[in-house]
Amino acid sequence: MAVRNFTKDINQKEIEELLCSSQMSITGEVHNQLIFLSVLNTFLSSTAILGNTLILVALRRESSIGSPSKLLYRSLAITDLCVGVMAEPADIVYWMSLVNSKNNICSYANAVSFFTGYILCSVSLATLTSVSLDKLLALLLGLRYRQIVTLKRTYIAINGFWISSIAGTAVFYWYPAAGAWLLYICLPLCLVITASAYTKIFLTLRRNQIQVQSHVSGAIPNQASPLNIARYRRAVTCALWIQFTLVVCYLPYGLAVALTPQTWFSLSFYLARQFTVTLAYLNSSLNPLLYCWKIKEIRQAVKDTITKIFCSSY
C-alpha cells in the first residue's frame, strides 16, 4: 500500500487531518475495508445500545447488589452505552466521509471520534480500577465498609473520572506530546493498581481459608459469613472477567499506537489502527454478556425485563 515520507515527526491527529484535507489519497481497496468497518461498527453499535440499556434497567430493578458497587457498574454500562450512541457512529461517519471525499464532514467527525473515544476509554479504565479497589475494601474493611465507601463518595469519584478524562483528552488533542506522557503514566498506573488489588484479594482469601481449615483459635475481625464469602468470590470473578476483556480489547490499539511510525505513513499501519479501534469498541458489546453470564441477579432481571417487553407487545 501507499507510503509517504515526512521530514519531521508527525502524529496520528495530523495524519488524519491530511487525509480529511485530500492532501493524501486513499485507494479503492482501502475504501472497501473502510466500508466493511462501517457496517461492522453499525452492528456493534446496535448491540452495545441494546445490551447496555437492558443492563441499566436490570441494575435499577436489582436490589441485592450493594449500592456503591451498583453505581460503579451503572457508570460502566453508561460509558459502554455512550460508545454505541456516540463514539461508533462518529467513526462510521468519519470512515464514510473518507470514502466519499466529504472533507468538511470528515474533519468534524474525526474530532468527535477522537474526543468521545478517548474520554469513554479513560472513564471505563478508571471505573474498572475503582471496582477492583471497591472489592478490596469490602474484604478488608468488613463491617466498616458501608461507613467508608458511601454513595456520596462514589458519586464524587465517578464525577472526578469524567472531569479528568475530558481534561486529559483535551490536552492529548491539542498537545499530543504532553498528552502522550499522561497516557504513558495513567494507563500503567491503573493496571498496576488493579493487579495489586486483585493479588491482595486472592492472597487474603487464601490466608483466611487456610486459617479456617486449620481451626486457628480466635475469630478473624469482621469476617463475613461463608455465604457472603461465596457471593463475594463470584463478584470478584465477574470483575476480573470484565477487566480481562477490557485489556484484551484495548491492548492491540495501544500496541498499534506505540508501533506506528512517526516519520512515514503507510495505509497498512493506518488500517491496522482502525481495526484495533473496532476491537476496542467490541468491549462495550461484550460487557453486557459478561454481566448476564457472571451475575445471576442481573441475568434474572434481564430475563424478566425481556419477558415483560414481549408480553406488553401482544
Side-chain angles (χ1 to χ4, degrees):
M1 290 188 177
V3 174
R4 176 167 176 171
N5 293 319
F6 299 99
T7 57
K8 65 180 184 66
D9 288 353
I10 185 167
N11 58 57
Q12 183 66 17
K13 173 176 171 288
E14 293 171 327
I15 288 174
E16 291 176 346
E17 287 176 349
L18 287 173
L19 284 170
C20 287
S21 65
S22 295
Q23 296 181 41
M24 296 172 63
S25 60
I26 57 177
T27 64
E29 179 184 355
V30 178
H31 284 183
N32 294 333
Q33 297 187 50
L34 293 179
I35 292 173
F36 169 76
L37 284 174
S38 299
V39 173
L40 178 58
N41 277 268
T42 299
F43 171 75
L44 293 179
S45 174
S46 302
T47 56
I49 293 172
L50 176 61
N52 287 287
T53 299
L54 286 173
I55 294 301
L56 287 171
V57 173
L59 285 172
R60 184 176 180 179
R61 297 178 57 181
E62 182 53 48
S63 59
S64 62
I65 303 174
S67 294
S69 297
K70 182 192 292 189
L71 183 57
L72 289 173
Y73 281 125
R74 184 179 296 169
S75 173
L76 190 60
I78 290 174
T79 305
D80 290 333
L81 178 64
C82 289
V83 168
V85 173
M86 301 170 62
E88 289 181 282
D91 262 315
I92 293 169
V93 173
Y94 166 62
W95 290 325
M96 293 308 298
S97 63
L98 282 176
V99 171
N100 295 292
S101 301
K102 301 293 184 180
N103 301 334
N104 292 334
I105 297 176
C106 178
S107 299
Y108 288 117
N110 179 36
V112 172
S113 171
F114 183 94
F115 272 94
T116 55
Y118 274 92
I119 289 172
L120 296 174
C121 173
S122 301
V123 174
S124 295
L125 183 62
T127 302
L128 278 178
T129 303
S130 296
V131 168
S132 67
L133 293 176
D134 175 67
K135 301 305 178 190
L136 178 61
L137 290 175
L139 179 63
L140 298 181
L141 295 177
L143 298 176
R144 293 186 296 135
Y145 169 78
R146 294 183 180 276
Q147 300 173 354
I148 296 177
V149 183
T150 62
L151 269 178
K152 180 179 180 180
R153 290 173 178 172
T154 307
Y155 271 115
I156 292 173
I158 292 174
N159 289 333
F161 298 156
W162 281 94
I163 294 172
S164 59
S165 296
I166 292 171
T169 301
V171 172
F172 201 3
Y173 186 80
W174 280 290
Y175 306 99
W181 278 107
L182 286 175
L183 181 65
Y184 296 149
I185 293 173
C186 294
L187 178 59
L189 181 61
C190 287
L191 294 178
V192 168
I193 291 174
T194 300
S196 300
Y198 286 120
T199 301
K200 177 67 174 177
I201 286 172
F202 282 106
L203 289 176
T204 303
L205 287 175
R206 179 158 181 79
R207 183 175 64 250
N208 292 350
Q209 184 180 11
I210 292 173
Q211 290 178 349
V212 170
Q213 291 174 349
S214 302
H215 302 286
V216 177
S217 60
I220 300 172
N222 296 328
Q223 180 64 38
S225 66
L227 179 61
N228 286 337
I229 285 295
R231 173 182 288 183
Y232 176 81
R233 286 181 181 273
R234 291 196 298 269
V236 170
T237 301
C238 175
L240 265 176
W241 269 101
I242 296 172
Q243 182 73 46
F244 174 76
T245 304
L246 180 138
V247 172
V248 169
C249 290
Y250 280 89
L251 184 59
Y253 178 77
L255 293 175
V257 171
L259 297 176
T260 299
Q262 297 298 309
T263 57
W264 56 275
F265 171 79
S266 168
L267 286 175
S268 297
F269 276 98
Y270 175 76
L271 282 175
R273 287 189 60 156
Q274 304 312 305
F275 274 95
T276 57
V277 166
T278 298
L279 180 59
Y281 290 154
L282 174 63
N283 180 69
S284 296
S285 297
L286 293 178
N287 280 342
L289 298 177
L290 292 175
Y291 299 143
C292 293
W293 177 34
K294 287 296 181 181
I295 307 177
K296 64 178 182 179
E297 295 87 358
I298 290 182
R299 180 169 63 248
Q300 186 59 48
V302 168
K303 287 181 180 179
D304 293 341
T305 301
I306 294 175
T307 302
K308 186 176 180 180
I309 292 174
F310 275 102
C311 290
S312 62
S313 62
Y314 289 102

